[in-house]
Amino acid sequence: MKKSILYLIKALKSLIGLFTEYQQVIDACPQVKEIVDLLPGKYQILMDNVQIQEEPTKGATKEKRTTKEQLCKLLFPIMTLICNYAYKTKNTDLVTQMKTTYNKLKNLNAASLIATATEVLEYCESNTENLPAIGITSEVVENLNIIKPAYEALIGKPKVLRARRKVATTNLDRNSEETNQLLYERLTPMMESLFATSQTELLAKYHEIVHKDKVTRRKMALMGSITDDETNEPISNCWIEIPNTNIAYRLKGEKGRFRIQNLEPGTYEFKCTQTNYHPFAIQFSHAWGETTRLQIRMKMTEIAKNQQPKEEEELVEA
């Protein structure tokens, strides 16, 4: 399971406890209470899917294999005894039936094994009086009656569990994303606007839980490319900067592309400088969980244009 989901579950549990402690404050703010009331349901959905995801599919596969071996160990001796009895009594119909059953067992798939066990049990039930003479005890038949349905119940179990785990993983990803959006896009801004001065202690505890438990947000928040305004060629080694953040570095590579992760929601200014080009600056807004894309086109200075080597003029014959 992703660590981010574990952090989110832990954060939700802590938040539910925090809002219970400050219940009177929350009840006095209907807007906040409406969102807070959703958190226990979100927490339970995540926990239910975590439980499904942790179901031991390997254990079910091992149990199925073990039960199959037990069924085979019971069937083969019984069928051998029935065939020997059929040859002794010159019962050609029974010999034919057992040969057909043996042919089914050549391919030991689940369907063949169940069909064979069913035929053997039907024969035993209709020939109860002859079983002692054949050498088949009632205890063996009873064990066969127990193991056959047990194996039938296990045939599709590993596949069902794998399918359930796949659905649970999808649900975990979707619900964790929805819960993060609920916390960051709705609850956090609302709490900051309502409790910034009146309930500073509550707000501080809220931020401590959310950030301490690393409630995740999508990576790759800002990306784009830097090109020449006229030639559309990429500009390499540009210095990029977003003021009031810790983002300021020189790009590597020749393609002029940049990618900035974990950018908090808000309005920013993007600055870009490079030798021989006019400085470039643009404002942009970034929403939580979104990927913002910028296409930067820088203009070369007139001095740099004049210093570029001119193409040799073609000689025209007189």
Side-chain angles (χ1 to χ4, degrees):
M1 188 198 309
K2 295 178 181 177
K3 287 184 178 180
S4 59
I5 294 176
L6 291 176
Y7 288 134
L8 177 59
I9 290 172
K10 185 179 177 182
L12 281 176
K13 186 176 180 180
S14 300
L15 286 176
I16 292 168
L18 176 66
F19 292 134
T20 302
E21 181 184 348
Y22 287 84
Q23 187 170 353
Q24 291 183 348
V25 177
I26 301 302
D27 290 344
C29 299
Q31 312 99 304
V32 177
K33 186 178 185 302
E34 181 184 355
I35 300 175
V36 169
D37 288 344
L38 298 175
L39 298 184
K42 295 291 186 182
Y43 174 79
Q44 192 58 51
I45 289 172
L46 291 172
M47 288 300 295
D48 290 343
N49 283 285
V50 166
Q51 187 175 0
I52 293 172
Q53 197 183 46
E54 291 179 349
E55 288 179 343
T57 54
K58 290 183 179 179
T61 304
K62 184 177 179 180
E63 187 181 1
K64 175 186 171 184
R65 190 184 304 116
T66 303
T67 309
K68 180 179 179 180
E69 290 173 358
Q70 292 174 346
L71 187 58
C72 290
K73 286 179 181 179
L74 283 173
L75 274 178
F76 284 110
I78 292 175
M79 293 183 66
T80 303
L81 292 171
I82 293 174
C83 283
N84 290 338
Y85 176 75
Y87 280 116
K88 286 180 181 178
T89 58
K90 297 182 180 180
N91 188 337
T92 55
D93 292 337
L94 181 57
V95 171
T96 304
Q97 181 185 350
M98 285 297 106
K99 282 183 178 180
T100 304
T101 306
Y102 260 120
N103 288 333
K104 288 180 183 177
L105 282 176
K106 286 180 180 178
N107 181 14
L108 274 177
N109 57 35
S112 298
L113 199 55
I114 292 299
T116 301
T118 302
E119 288 186 17
V120 170
L121 281 172
E122 287 176 353
Y123 175 82
C124 292
E125 288 173 3
S126 59
N127 294 273
T128 307
E129 296 178 356
N130 296 330
L131 292 183
I134 297 174
I136 301 172
T137 62
S138 58
E139 184 181 356
V140 172
V141 177
E142 186 179 349
N143 288 337
L144 189 58
N145 269 311
I146 294 172
I147 294 175
K148 174 180 169 284
Y151 179 63
E152 286 179 305
L154 289 168
I155 287 174
K157 188 175 180 180
K159 187 176 180 180
V160 170
L161 288 177
R162 284 193 293 270
R164 278 166 56 87
R165 287 188 66 175
K166 186 176 180 181
V167 172
T169 301
T170 303
N171 288 339
L172 276 172
D173 289 338
R174 187 183 73 251
N175 282 290
S176 63
E177 185 70 23
E178 291 175 356
T179 305
N180 277 323
Q181 289 177 355
L182 183 71
L183 292 177
Y184 276 95
E185 292 185 0
R186 296 181 60 189
L187 184 58
T188 300
M190 194 177 295
M191 290 193 64
E192 288 174 348
S193 63
L194 292 173
F195 302 141
T197 56
S198 61
Q199 295 290 338
T200 55
E201 184 181 353
L202 169 60
L203 188 59
K205 288 182 178 180
Y206 173 82
H207 281 302
E208 182 183 358
I209 290 170
V210 170
H211 293 292
K212 182 179 178 181
D213 290 302
K214 301 179 183 178
V215 178
T216 58
R217 57 218 84 172
R218 284 183 181 175
K219 294 183 178 181
M220 203 172 68
L222 176 67
M223 63 186 300
S225 60
I226 304 171
T227 57
D228 186 288
D229 185 56
E230 293 184 2
T231 65
N232 206 32
E233 293 293 322
I235 303 174
S236 60
N237 302 321
C238 294
W239 177 265
I240 66 172
E241 179 183 358
I242 300 180
N244 302 320
T245 69
N246 60 352
I247 300 169
Y249 61 92
R250 189 170 297 280
L251 294 182
K252 296 179 180 180
E254 302 295 324
K255 296 183 179 180
R257 294 177 182 172
F258 58 89
R259 183 173 66 182
I260 299 169
Q261 299 178 343
N262 296 332
L263 186 65
E264 295 286 344
T267 301
Y268 298 93
E269 184 180 25
F270 182 93
K271 291 184 176 181
C272 180
T273 57
Q274 176 59 297
T275 307
N276 298 331
Y277 286 88
H278 292 289
F280 182 92
I282 186 175
Q283 282 195 338
F284 69 95
S285 296
H286 172 66
W288 184 90
E290 297 297 329
T291 298
T292 304
R293 291 177 171 81
L294 297 178
Q295 180 66 47
I296 309 300
R297 302 179 68 87
M298 298 184 70
K299 292 184 178 180
M300 185 177 287
T301 63
E302 292 298 325
I303 296 175
K305 286 181 181 179
N306 294 332
Q307 289 177 347
Q308 283 187 321
K310 296 182 180 180
E311 295 180 2
E312 294 183 3
E313 296 181 1
E314 295 182 359
L315 296 175
V316 181
E317 293 183 0

